[in-house]
Amino acid sequence: QVHVVESGGGLVQAGGTLRLSCTVSGSYISDNAMGWHRQVPGKQRELVASMSRGGLTIYADSVKGRFTISRDSAKGTVYLQMNSLKPEDTAVYYCALDSRAGRYWGQGTQVTVSS
């Protein structure tokens, strides 16, 4: 059974940094595409960054140059390094594993950026 668990969220001032972690059990992250998404109340969940099995990365325009997705396959962990944070980055951040069997979500971690 696949489990996805996020951690690392919190409260940070504008301009600050956070690193989110996503630990996966029950599947190898290098065998799957991984993605970070975020959602604010009343809005649809949006893709922030993704990494394919081959390591190709894609970023939302709003975070390009500020966020970096990476993975440590030995640890089964995917990271989202977030720099130069803005108040509009405030959201619940979710990690997702995309496998042939479907998409598995974590429970989410709150990121709040104060101005």
Side-chain angles (χ1 to χ4, degrees), residues 13-59:
Q13 287 189 332
T17 65
L18 279 175
R19 189 178 78 159
L20 305 183
S21 299
C22 169
T23 302
V24 174
S25 59
S27 185
Y28 294 108
I29 60 173
S30 56
D31 288 345
N32 301 281
M34 300 294 301
W36 284 98
H37 305 247
R38 67 187 181 187
Q39 189 171 24
V40 297
K43 291 190 176 181
Q44 285 191 332
R45 194 170 295 188
E46 64 172 356
L47 177 67
V48 174
S50 66
M51 177 177 285
S52 70
R53 290 192 302 168
L56 180 67
T57 57
I58 296 174
Y59 296 93

Side-chain angles (χ1 to χ4, degrees), residues 70-86:
S70 62
R71 68 187 179 195
D72 185 332
S73 298
K75 294 183 178 180
T77 302
V78 177
Y79 303 98
L80 185 68
Q81 178 67 42
M82 304 187 295
N83 299 330
S84 302
L85 282 161
K86 304 175 181 180

Side-chain angles (χ1 to χ4, degrees), residues 47-113:
L47 177 67
V48 174
S50 66
M51 177 177 285
S52 70
R53 290 192 302 168
L56 180 67
T57 57
I58 296 174
Y59 296 93
D61 287 342
S62 59
V63 306
K64 280 181 182 176
R66 300 188 298 121
F67 290 10
T68 303
I69 186 171
S70 62
R71 68 187 179 195
D72 185 332
S73 298
K75 294 183 178 180
T77 302
V78 177
Y79 303 98
L80 185 68
Q81 178 67 42
M82 304 187 295
N83 299 330
S84 302
L85 282 161
K86 304 175 181 180
E88 51 263 44
D89 294 319
T90 295
V92 178
Y93 284 71
Y94 297 90
C95 180
L97 179 150
D98 287 314
S99 72
R100 294 183 182 87
R103 173 170 285 179
Y104 297 87
W105 292 99
Q107 81 288 350
T109 185
Q110 176 71 46
V111 172
T112 303
V113 184

